[in-house]
Amino acid sequence: MVPFIRQRNISLSYRLLAGVLLGSSVLTFFITLFSLWLDYQQGVRRIEGKLSQIETLYLPGITQSLWDLNDDHVDLNLNGIINLGDIPYAYIETQGVIQYSSGTMPGENQKSIRFPVIYKRDKTRYDLGTLVAVASLDGVVDRLINQALFVFASSFVKTLILSAFMLILFHQVVTRHLLKISSYLKKNHFLRPSKSSRLVLDKKSAYGDELDQVVQAINQMHQEINQHFSYREKAEQELRRLNSSLEEEVKRRIKENERQQINMQNAARLSSLGEMAGSIAHEINNPLTIISGYVSMLRRGLKTKSLPEPQMEYIGERVESTIERITTIIQGLLRLSRDTQKEKLKVQAVNPIVKDALAICREKFSSRGIDIRMTIADEALLAPCKPVEIGQVVINLLNNAYDEVIKHTSPWVEVCLKAHEDKVILTVTDSGLGIPEHLRPKLLEPFFTTKPLGKGTGLGLSISRAIAEDHQGRLYLDEQWPNTRFVLELPSKEHADANPTPTPEPARWHQIH
Ligand SMILES: Nc1ncnc2c1ncn2[C@@H]1O[C@H](COP(=O)(O)OP(=O)(O)OP(=O)(O)O)[C@@H](O)[C@H]1O
Ligand SMILES: [Mg+2]
C-alpha cells in the first residue's frame, strides 16, 4: 500500500490566489512599464513639437526685433516661448555670450534646441546670434511617476478584488467538492467491501463537467469493487464448500483405498493358498486313504476276529498319527487364511510358522519331484511378528521358486532359518537360473510379473516386502548368491519391547523329504 504522504496543507484556493496575484503583478508591472515608456516618448515628442513651433512662430519676430534693436520685442518673444509650456528657459547668445534671456534654467533633465538667428537683406546674410530654447523633461517624468503609481495601485486593488472573487468562486465550484470527494474516499475503504451510498456532490450535475466525471468514475469504481467483493465472497464460499467436500472425498477415497489394499492383500494371500489347493487336497486325501485302508483292515479283522491285539494297537496308532497330520495341515491352512489386519506384532517363535508353510507346500513340491530341503535351527528363534503374514511370505517365496524350478531338471529348493547377530534370517534358495540383471530392480514392484496372463498377479513379492517392512525387517534378493536366493530378515526378540507370547503349538509333523 502506498503510504499516506503527509504534506503541509496549503489549500488549492490559496495557491491559486498566490499564482494569480504574482502573475497579475508581473504582467501589470511590464504592461505599465511599456505604457509609461510610450507616454514618455509621447511627452518628449510633444516637447519636441513645441520646440519646433519656435522656429515658425517666434524666430522671424526675434530676428526682426534684433535687427531693429528692439529689446522689448525680443523679450516679448522670449516670454512667448517660455509660455508654450515645458520650456522654462530661452535665451539669445552671440559668440557664446548671452544677450537676452527669459525664465530659469531647468535641472539636468532637460533638452535644448538651437536656432541660428540669420537676417537676410539684399542677398546678404547677417548672423545675429543663436536662439536657444531649453525644455525641461521633469514635468514629463513627474507625470509619468504619478501615472505609474496610480496604475500600480489601481491594478493592485483590482487584482485583489478579482482574486477574492476568484477565491470564493473557486471554493464554490471546485474546492468544496474536492473536499467532499476526499472525505468520501477516506470513509470508504476500497480494500474492504462497504455498503455506503453513492457519492453525490452538492451541485447541479447538468453540466457534466470534470468533477461530475470524477464522481461518476468513483461511483463506478465503488460499484465494481463491491461487485468484485461479492463475487470474491461467493467464490470463497464455493471454495470452502468444495474444500470441505474435497476433504470428505479424499477421506472417503483413502478409506476405500485402504479397504482395497486390504482386500488385495487378502486376495493375494488366498490366491497363494489357492495355488496350493490341489496339492493340499491331495495331501489330505493321502492320509484319508491310509486311514480308510486301516479302518477297513480293522473291520475285516474284527469280523474275522483274526487281528491280533498288537497289530490292532499299531493300526490305532497309525490312524491317530495320520489324523494328527491332517489336523496339522488344516490348522496351518486356517492360520494362513485368517485376516491379520487387526492383529498386533507378538514375540513368538518363527520356526513353527515356517514349518506350517512348508507343510502346506510339501505335497505340491514332491508330486513334481522337487527336492525340498529344510535347515531350521533347533532352538526357537523368537521375533515380534504376525505368524499369518510371515507364513504368507514363505509361501510366496516357495511358490515363486516352484514356478522357476519345475522348468529345469534336478530341481531343488532349500529353506534355511537361522539367527544371525540381532536378526532372524530366513532364506529360500532354488536351483533356478537366477534372475536376469535387468529385471532385478523391478522385482519388488507391484504388478511386475513375467508369468503368463492369469498365472501371476505380480503382487507376491511386493506384498511380501510390505509385510517385511511392517515387521521392521526387509526382504531382498541376495545378488551375491550363485543361485536364486531371497532373504527375509526380521529383528529378533531382543529388539522387541513386548514380552513373548505363548508360541502357537508347533506342527509336530514336519519331516519334509
Ligand atoms: N525364485 C525366482 N526365480 C526366478 N524368478 C523369480 C523368482 N521369484 C520371483 N521371480 C520373478 O519375479 C516376478 C515377480 O514375482 P511375484 O511373486 O511378485 O509375482 P508373480 O509370482 O509373477 O505373481 P504372483 O506372485 O501374484 O502369482 C515373477 O514374475 C518372476 O519373474
Ligand atoms: Mg509370486
Side-chain angles (χ1 to χ4, degrees), residues 396 400 451 460:
N396 280 341
N400 282 349
K451 293 172 190 170

CSV table of all heavy atoms in Angstrom, one decimal, residues 396 400 451 460, ligand 2:
chain,number,residue,atom,x,y,z
A,396,ASN,N,4.8,-67.4,-0.6
A,396,ASN,CA,5.0,-66.6,-1.8
A,396,ASN,C,6.4,-67.0,-2.4
A,396,ASN,O,6.5,-67.2,-3.6
A,396,ASN,CB,5.0,-65.1,-1.5
A,396,ASN,CG,3.6,-64.6,-1.4
A,396,ASN,OD1,2.7,-65.2,-1.9
A,396,ASN,ND2,3.4,-63.4,-0.8
A,400,ASN,N,7.1,-69.0,-5.9
A,400,ASN,CA,8.0,-68.4,-6.9
A,400,ASN,C,9.1,-69.4,-7.3
A,400,ASN,O,9.4,-69.6,-8.5
A,400,ASN,CB,8.6,-67.1,-6.5
A,400,ASN,CG,7.6,-66.0,-6.6
A,400,ASN,OD1,6.6,-66.1,-7.1
A,400,ASN,ND2,8.0,-64.8,-5.9
A,451,LYS,N,5.2,-63.8,-15.6
A,451,LYS,CA,4.3,-65.0,-15.8
A,451,LYS,C,3.2,-64.7,-16.8
A,451,LYS,O,2.8,-63.6,-16.9
A,451,LYS,CB,3.8,-65.5,-14.5
A,451,LYS,CG,5.0,-66.0,-13.6
A,451,LYS,CD,4.6,-66.4,-12.2
A,451,LYS,CE,5.9,-66.6,-11.5
A,451,LYS,NZ,5.7,-66.7,-10.0
A,460,GLY,N,3.0,-60.9,-5.4
A,460,GLY,CA,3.6,-61.7,-4.4
A,460,GLY,C,4.7,-61.1,-3.7
A,460,GLY,O,4.7,-60.9,-2.4
B,2,MG,MG,4.8,-65.0,-6.9
